[in-house]
Amino acid sequence: MKTIAKKDVKALLSLWTKEYHVLAPCRTARGDFIFADFSEESFTLDYKKPPLPPKSVFLPHTEVIFTVENGQFKETVTAHNVVLFGIRSCDMMGILQCTSFMTRDRNDIYYSTKNAMARTVVMACPGPQNETCFCTTTFSGPVAHKGFDLLFYDMGESFIIQTGSKRGEDILMSGPLSDIDNAVARRKIEAFTKQAVENIPVVDEITEAMTRLESGNVDEKIWEHFGQKCIVCGGCAFVCPTCTCFNVYDHESSPGHGIRARAWDACLYGGFTREASGHNPRATQASRLQRRHEHKLLYYNDTDVQGGLCGCVGCGRCSDYCPVRIGTLEVAKALVSN
Amino acid sequence: MTNSINEFEDADLFLVTGSNTTAQHPLIGSRIINAKERGAKLLLIDPRAIQFAQFADLHLRQNIGTDVAVLNGMMNIIIEENLYDRTFVEERTEGFDQLKSVTSRYTPRVVERISGISAADLEKAARMYATSDKAMLVYCMGITQHTTGTDNVKSCANLAMLTGHIGRPSTGVNPLRGQNNVQGACDMGALPNVYSGYQPVTDTAIKKKFEDAWGVQVLDDKVGLTVTEMMIAVRKEEIKSLYIMGENPMMSDPDTSHIDHALSHLEFLVVQDIFLSETAAKADVVLPAASFAEKEGTFTNTERRVQISKKAVPPPGLARPDWEIICEVSRLAGYAMDYTSPADIMREINTLTPSYAGITYRRLEQSYGIQWPCPNEEHPGTPYLHRDRFTKGRGTFLPCDFKPVAEVPDEEYDFLLTTGRIYYHYHTGTMTRRISILEREAPVPMIEINPEDAKRLSIKNNDTVEITSRRGVIKARAEVTGRVPRKVVFSTFHFHEAPVNLLTNPALDPLAKIPEYKGCAVKVRRCV
Amino acid sequence: MARTPSICPFCGCGCEFYLASHGGRVVGIEPSPSNPVNKGMLCAKGWNAYEFIHSPDRLTKPLVRKHGTLVESSWEEALKTVAGKLTEIKSQYGPRALAFLSSAKVTNEENYLFMKMARAVFGTNNVDHCARL
Ligand code: SF4
Ligand code: SF4
Ligand code: SF4
């Protein structure tokens, strides 16, 4: 296996930028953490999970999918050779989940082309990245077990790098790397993982909420309580690494000319399920929230719907970024509280 | 706002009136909901049963336009029951005796007759507000958009001073500003009576300062006209030309036919905007402007926080940022404006505007904004105002008497129409109605009508109804809902298909010159 | 893909978000995680504040009314018309025959310049904005 000194990571990423579009954690002038184009000045290894998960790279918030000129349509599939550096294990699982959904029945070429051209470099978490992490409950972290091209383990002054694919090996062909004995590396990784798992407690309420939802042993009033306070921002769907719903819109610039684009949509919006007649099968905010959380928690491990992956990868973002605290954690706690 | 958005997280009680906070200021609304969950109290005074009504510990549904009576009534009880903050009143205010003598006329019984609020509820409300430690008073257009708007605002301030709920964290009088830079437009002196930083045009020293800085011989020392007065002056042909930047008075101003008529009177109309709005369509020259994403500049939010916004994409076609267009027009009119960037303009603002003196681009780039007043570059900014003293020293109580809405319903026009916004749209809809998801959520203009009234008029949900005032008529779909009380209908001004301001009354508040959007007499019938 | 800090163009809360852009188009919105106003959150309007920017209805050229209809013109012609006409009206009827309406939707710098133009260039205090409305 390879290792790299922490101080040399910048050099490695700079090297990659010659061939790839490198997206990496960055700290802005005023101290915001976001993922952006790698730059030596703003790159940081001391970062938090950003609000948007990596799905935004493969399924951008909004993207033009075809243009029409003189009545002729032309598909626009844009994709780049991307390296996603430093994503967390939960988000890696989120990518797998999205990919499964976007390619299983029908290949969504806009998504899959971008996904195929991306390299994923996962940063294993030594402990929770924020108070809301529960990846050990959803089996999606703190260490990724599949899907990644490279996996970095923090060893203090250096990282041990595990390769997960041929493509991962390829991008490690050169750079300021050294070798480490495989057996030694494996021992260190094992110790790291054991400690990391201990650092992130399992949230029993999530598992119990799953069981309750499955058995239908749920107090309906809970949904009404949450429905009352939801401000219908759609944020919980936008920040969720496993939400992929989109809406389509057209911009006609003149007859025979224009674009069609798609954009993230959220099942929390009433219009999402409103039928042409005006009838809405999810007529109330309570029923929309119920649907969302059943989707995340109830259909767990149901291979038909999720391709064998969790509906929730335990990233905690919906708890961090819901303006009125209706995250999966809060909902699960409410579900089991009586 | 006297206080800051994050202070909502620590308050014990919120008195919310005339603000549909979760719809209009969602991220302030959410803080109030969260505060409720940790045990804070919510006292709502609003004729409509908005989303907050579900959380309110007490919801007073006053008759429209009776706010002064309600607030006076509360103060009367607070004084009678000795619940006011004696030390604060003695040390920091003046005019208590007048306040006492005016409010003493508003006994619970009198208030009940005017406002429809029961004496018991009023007492409860008064006690709740007065006895809380940290109470924030929050209001919005429901308070200001009345012919008695200024009186309403004064009464809110009276109540906060009387109880000492001002000048400390998580208290204060907090008007929420509706548009993203209303605060900044006022701060920058886009007002007929003041230069930037509220420096009066009538003050000779100030006038001199600006004359010197701007290199002009004489500036006018007479107060100019407000927008509503301008429209009247246009009709009288005293104003010949109007230059409108980024506004759409054809949709946003009361009594649209009057505005339409006025604009047609003009010799020359210039409109600078990002869309060909209803107003731009009437212009002699239309100048294409850059949107927020296509230029650099600062905006000031409702808590006086000045924040920087950068250019993300180029403007479409030949469109240009507003500041560049202004520089060009001025240059061609014979006055050189050689700014190279918005930062350059800010440097001039810093030197001429004491409250913005320390708000520089260098600092803004490295922070999440600075709250004015900020008198120098070392000053951290001001999260809440009036800590040790009011701007003028002592705070003066300015008691007001109740006056009814300018146009009271009668036999023919038997409903009160009140207007406002809905969550999914913004202002005259030029931006939000061009966003598919928002348009899907709220595609058609709706008129809210109470179930009892609807039944009497044989109106069902989604029926097309016709609303007529003395000034015009519109059609919209009915939403039969208990959200509005009886004899009141509610609609919004987002939709050009049903421009509700065809109906509204241009009667003005005598001081603030704000029209009475929140109440005018109409009649309602179902279209067949 | 660039990320540019920006302020929500809608209500007075003043939430901050990053505009993600690519090839001259806005492709997404990411709330600022640490701005104390919004802390990584937005409302429905803010989350969806991208689409109108590229609306085909955007004005892209100056328009000047000729024989009753608005026709496309050059900047030079449009600006000369504006400056010329305002100067003419000012000299004929005096500065108070001019009025200026500024905006609660544009920046501080632009509001400042607009009122400066009204006052210093055209000599009138007839300047206001639509905040009351
Ligand atoms: S449901 Fe919430 S915690 Fe689970 S993956 Fe989505 S955002 Fe993360
Ligand atoms: S993030 Fe919260 S408030 Fe927003 S839609 Fe989801 S549950 Fe509702
Ligand atoms: S995101 Fe919503 S709450 Fe925030 S400024 Fe925009 S409109 Fe206001």
Side-chain angles (χ1 to χ4, degrees):
Chain A
M1 268 185 241
K2 302 271 184 200
T3 67
I4 186 169
K6 276 193 178 166
K7 62 172 175 41
D8 292 334
V9 172
K10 259 191 196 174
L12 181 66
L13 266 60
S14 295
L15 196 67
W16 288 346
T17 55
K18 298 214 174 84
E19 253 181 275
Y20 304 96
H21 194 119
V22 180
L23 287 167
C26 120
R27 189 175 193 277
T28 67
R30 47 267 270 260
D32 249 353
F33 295 104
I34 53 172
F35 270 61
D37 291 0
F38 168 77
S39 91
E40 299 235 353
E41 301 78 64
S42 59
F43 174 73
T44 175
L45 277 169
D46 177 16
Y47 62 97
K48 293 208 171 67
K49 229 174 343 189
L52 292 190
K55 75 171 179 192
S56 59
V57 177
F58 309 135
L59 176 69
H61 195 155
T62 180
E63 101 182 288
V64 176
I65 55 177
F66 65 73
T67 57
V68 178
E69 271 165 47
N70 294 314
Q72 301 289 313
F73 103 99
K74 204 171 121 231
E75 210 155 27
T76 49
V77 182
T78 43
H80 310 274
N81 273 315
V82 170
V83 174
L84 282 170
F85 177 87
I87 59 173
R88 299 291 177 181
S89 308
C90 54
D91 282 346
M92 187 64 240
M93 190 62 107
I95 295 177
L96 295 179
Q97 152 86 284
C98 286
T99 307
S100 150
F101 187 78
M102 294 300 251
T103 57
R104 261 169 77 84
D105 303 333
R106 218 194 124 262
N107 183 20
D108 182 298
I109 53 159
Y110 308 102
Y111 178 96
S112 59
T113 313
K114 290 192 216 10
N115 183 47
M117 290 176 73
R119 275 91 182 140
T120 46
V121 181
V122 174
M123 184 70 70
C125 298
Q129 298 302 304
N130 45 8
E131 298 96 77
T132 53
C133 288
F134 58 100
C135 57
T136 46
T137 317
T138 51
F139 308 116
S140 47
V143 171
H145 22 259
K146 53 183 171 180
F148 58 89
D149 295 309
L150 294 177
L151 179 51
F152 276 48
Y153 293 91
D154 190 335
M155 294 293 150
E157 291 302 302
S158 65
F159 293 107
I160 294 180
I161 309 174
Q162 183 182 342
T163 41
S165 70
K166 173 79 179 53
R167 295 170 2 144
E169 272 169 39
D170 289 347
I171 53 172
L172 278 194
M173 291 301 264
S174 55
L177 304 151
S178 5
D179 287 311
I180 178 172
D181 176 71
N182 279 355
V184 176
R186 247 178 247 118
R187 237 178 296 122
K188 289 193 173 194
I189 289 174
E190 222 167 89
F192 175 98
T193 308
K194 187 164 171 286
Q195 186 57 49
V197 170
E198 272 170 30
N199 289 348
I200 305 173
V202 169
V203 181
D204 292 329
E205 285 99 334
I206 294 277
T207 337
E208 202 188 327
M210 287 173 175
T211 323
R212 287 243 196 158
L213 283 169
E214 202 161 19
S215 61
N217 175 20
V218 164
D219 181 1
E220 297 293 318
K221 279 204 206 74
I222 284 169
W223 304 118
E224 272 155 44
H225 163 74
F226 286 121
Q228 254 181 11
K229 62 176 194 163
C230 172
I231 63 159
V232 202
C233 67
C236 50
F238 299 149
V239 300
C240 180
T242 70
C243 276
T244 47
C245 285
F246 57 83
N247 181 37
V248 169
Y249 62 91
D250 293 343
H251 280 168
E252 188 187 20
S253 39
S254 61
H257 296 263
I259 57 128
R260 169 162 292 180
R262 66 178 178 185
W264 291 350
D265 203 345
C267 55
L268 292 305
Y269 295 146
F272 185 86
T273 42
R274 193 182 60 232
E275 296 167 5
S277 65
H279 169 71
N280 196 337
R282 297 280 171 187
T284 61
Q285 205 55 27
S287 64
R288 287 169 211 136
L289 282 162
Q290 177 176 5
R291 202 215 63 87
R292 172 179 165 79
H293 289 94
E294 285 176 352
H295 190 90
K296 297 297 166 193
L297 296 175
L298 173 63
Y299 302 133
Y300 178 64
N301 263 352
D302 180 335
T303 44
D304 291 334
V305 182
Q306 304 290 358
L309 297 160
C310 326
C312 167
V313 298
C315 74
R317 284 189 180 90
C318 52
S319 293
D320 293 337
Y321 301 119
C322 169
V324 289
R325 306 192 186 128
I326 315 179
T328 296
L329 281 171
E330 290 80 4
V331 168
K333 284 184 183 145
L335 283 171
V336 302
S337 72
N338 51 42
Chain B
M1 274 164 64
T2 59
N3 292 56
S4 293
I5 292 178
N6 278 319
E7 293 174 29
F8 280 79
E9 284 157 21
D10 298 314
D12 301 321
L13 175 136
F14 304 94
L15 193 180
V16 178
T17 180
S19 156
N20 186 358
T21 323
T22 51
Q24 269 29 283
H25 297 88
L27 286 187
I28 291 177
S30 62
R31 283 168 162 91
I32 296 180
I33 291 176
N34 294 340
K36 261 300 298 179
E37 291 224 319
R38 66 153 165 76
K41 296 236 162 4
L42 174 61
L43 168 57
L44 179 66
I45 308 184
D46 200 302
R48 286 174 73 227
I50 54 177
Q51 188 179 4
F52 268 172
Q54 302 169 346
F55 300 94
D57 296 278
L58 183 61
H59 179 192
L60 309 183
R61 300 182 77 172
Q62 83 280 34
N63 296 333
I64 284 178
T66 61
D67 310 78
V68 168
V70 176
L71 295 165
N72 279 350
M74 283 174 67
M75 288 187 265
N76 179 43
I77 295 163
I78 290 168
I79 296 172
E80 285 281 296
E81 298 190 359
N82 244 318
L83 297 173
Y84 66 98
D85 187 334
R86 211 170 264 280
T87 334
F88 189 89
V89 167
E90 273 164 21
E91 287 172 7
R92 307 249 340 240
T93 69
E94 59 195 19
F96 177 71
D97 293 336
Q98 288 99 297
L99 179 79
K100 191 173 171 182
S101 86
V102 171
T103 56
S104 67
R105 297 199 283 274
Y106 294 83
T107 60
R109 212 170 278 262
V110 171
V111 176
E112 180 164 351
R113 217 184 49 238
I114 299 173
S115 69
I117 291 171
S118 75
D121 279 350
L122 192 73
E123 277 163 13
K124 242 202 211 142
R127 288 176 200 141
M128 266 171 79
Y129 181 73
T131 57
S132 298
D133 177 25
K134 286 178 285 184
M136 294 183 90
L137 198 164
V138 178
Y139 70 79
C140 193
M141 303 294 203
I143 282 294
T144 54
Q145 290 179 341
H146 283 289
T147 43
T148 58
T150 309
D151 293 351
N152 293 349
V153 169
K154 285 181 194 157
S155 306
C156 287
N158 292 344
L159 178 62
M161 289 197 296
L162 180 67
T163 47
H165 290 325
I166 194 157
R168 284 182 294 134
S170 302
T171 64
V173 181
N174 299 287
L176 307 180
R177 311 308 302 254
Q179 302 181 54
N180 91 325
N181 207 26
V182 183
Q183 185 66 53
C186 296
D187 297 348
M188 289 301 109
L191 290 168
N193 57 338
V194 289
Y195 298 108
S196 57
Y198 306 94
Q199 305 176 79
V201 296
T202 48
D203 183 312
T204 3
I206 302 261
K207 179 168 104 84
K208 178 84 177 36
K209 173 170 103 174
F210 278 90
E211 283 166 353
D212 291 348
W214 289 349
V216 287
Q217 297 270 294
V218 265
L219 289 167
D220 193 353
D221 59 1
K222 295 230 169 38
V223 170
L225 302 180
T226 63
V227 48
T228 11
E229 289 168 330
M230 283 176 195
M231 294 302 168
I232 297 165
V234 170
R235 282 189 92 171
K236 289 202 234 145
E237 302 195 358
E238 288 161 13
I239 282 180
K240 303 285 184 187
S241 166
L242 194 54
Y243 187 153
I244 302 176
M245 172 171 70
E247 288 293 352
N248 188 11
M250 281 284 287
M251 286 278 291
S252 62
D253 289 29
D255 193 0
T256 307
S257 8
H258 160 84
I259 303 285
D260 191 5
H261 191 208
L263 294 182
S264 324
H265 263 245
L266 284 168
E267 218 174 287
F268 191 60
L269 173 63
V270 188
V271 175
Q272 186 168 313
D273 210 329
I274 64 171
F275 292 113
L276 192 70
S277 65
E278 289 74 14
T279 310
K282 300 190 64 80
D284 296 291
V285 177
V286 179
L287 303 173
S291 76
F292 79 105
E294 299 149 359
K295 63 183 178 191
E296 187 176 41
T298 60
F299 295 97
T300 307
N301 80 351
T302 187
E303 51 169 2
R304 299 167 280 104
R305 183 188 298 271
V306 184
Q307 306 188 93
I308 209 166
S309 184
K310 299 258 184 155
K311 176 178 171 175
V313 290
L318 302 178
R320 299 175 70 177
D322 291 283
W323 66 271
E324 281 186 32
I325 305 175
I326 301 167
C327 289
E328 290 290 321
V329 171
S330 301
R331 188 176 55 79
L332 289 167
Y335 182 97
M337 280 195 186
D338 307 317
Y339 305 99
T340 53
S341 67
D344 209 10
I345 305 170
M346 185 53 102
R347 276 190 283 275
E348 181 171 321
I349 297 171
N350 296 149
T351 57
L352 290 170
T353 318
S355 52
Y356 274 67
I359 303 180
T360 61
Y361 269 52
R362 193 186 59 77
R363 295 182 72 190
L364 293 176
E365 305 262 4
Q366 285 160 19
S367 65
Y368 295 107
I370 300 171
Q371 289 172 280
W372 66 259
C374 176
N376 57 57
E377 274 223 67
E378 282 67 52
H379 193 282
T382 310
Y384 64 96
L385 301 175
H386 314 308
R387 185 163 68 170
D388 303 314
R389 61 191 293 275
F390 291 99
T391 322
K392 294 183 188 82
R394 276 176 179 263
T396 312
F397 286 111
L398 299 165
C400 309
D401 263 309
F402 162 72
K403 293 183 211 75
V405 290
E407 193 180 53
V408 276
D410 53 22
E411 238 164 72
E412 192 187 355
Y413 297 94
D414 55 343
F415 276 85
L416 260 182
L417 164 72
T418 186
T419 69
R421 299 180 183 175
I422 53 172
Y423 176 51
Y424 296 103
H425 288 299
Y426 172 72
H427 223 59
T428 66
T430 51
M431 294 187 274
T432 49
R433 296 206 63 202
R434 289 184 173 91
I435 296 174
S436 315
I437 285 179
L438 300 179
E439 180 67 1
R440 177 190 72 195
E441 294 306 304
V444 290
M446 303 291 281
I447 298 269
E448 294 178 4
I449 183 166
N450 183 280
E452 279 183 46
D453 294 324
K455 195 165 168 213
R456 189 167 43 81
L457 298 168
S458 318
I459 293 168
K460 291 193 300 296
N461 248 335
N462 280 318
D463 278 352
T464 305
V465 291
E466 187 183 87
I467 316 281
T468 314
S469 81
R470 289 185 176 82
R471 292 152 296 274
V473 47
I474 62 164
K475 283 186 181 151
R477 297 229 221 134
E479 180 184 355
V480 179
T481 167
R483 208 176 298 131
V484 282
R486 290 193 50 208
K487 285 290 176 189
V488 170
V489 286
F490 169 86
S491 191
T492 76
F493 64 114
H494 309 303
F495 296 89
H496 57 81
E497 305 91 309
V500 76
N501 283 322
L502 271 175
L503 311 181
T504 47
N505 187 0
L508 295 185
D509 175 272
L511 259 167
K513 317 282 183 183
I514 300 182
E516 187 138 59
Y517 290 106
K518 298 299 183 208
C520 75
V522 295
K523 56 187 172 188
V524 180
R525 71 175 189 93
R526 185 167 72 99
C527 297
V528 276
Chain C
M1 206 194 291
R3 275 169 200 262
T4 315
S6 191
I7 302 296
C8 175
F10 300 123
C11 88
C13 289
C15 298
E16 177 174 351
F17 50 62
Y18 291 88
L19 286 173
S21 61
H22 186 72
R25 282 185 79 88
V26 172
V27 297
I29 282 179
E30 175 164 15
S32 159
S34 312
N35 187 306
V37 174
N38 54 306
K39 303 176 183 171
M41 307 170 209
L42 295 171
C43 80
K45 290 184 282 278
W47 272 114
N48 291 291
Y50 52 84
E51 190 184 330
F52 75 90
I53 300 168
H54 301 298
S55 161
D57 300 342
R58 282 290 301 276
L59 288 165
T60 57
K61 291 196 180 97
L63 307 172
V64 173
R65 191 172 297 277
K66 285 179 185 155
H67 311 294
T69 40
L70 283 170
V71 293
E72 290 180 355
S73 87
S74 67
W75 268 112
E76 201 188 350
E77 183 190 357
L79 291 168
K80 278 196 173 143
T81 314
V82 173
K85 205 70 184 133
L86 295 183
T87 316
E88 183 190 313
I89 291 173
K90 179 184 162 187
S91 55
Q92 199 174 341
Y93 304 99
R96 290 197 189 132
L98 302 174
F100 295 80
L101 266 186
S102 194
S103 172
K105 303 182 185 80
V106 308
T107 65
N108 288 327
E109 292 78 1
E110 290 163 341
N111 270 294
Y112 173 83
L113 271 204
F114 195 74
M115 76 97 187
K116 178 173 176 181
M117 171 173 71
R119 292 185 160 125
V121 184
F122 294 105
T124 180
N125 279 327
N126 289 339
V127 53
D128 198 7
H129 64 99
C130 296
R132 299 176 185 84
L133 317 177

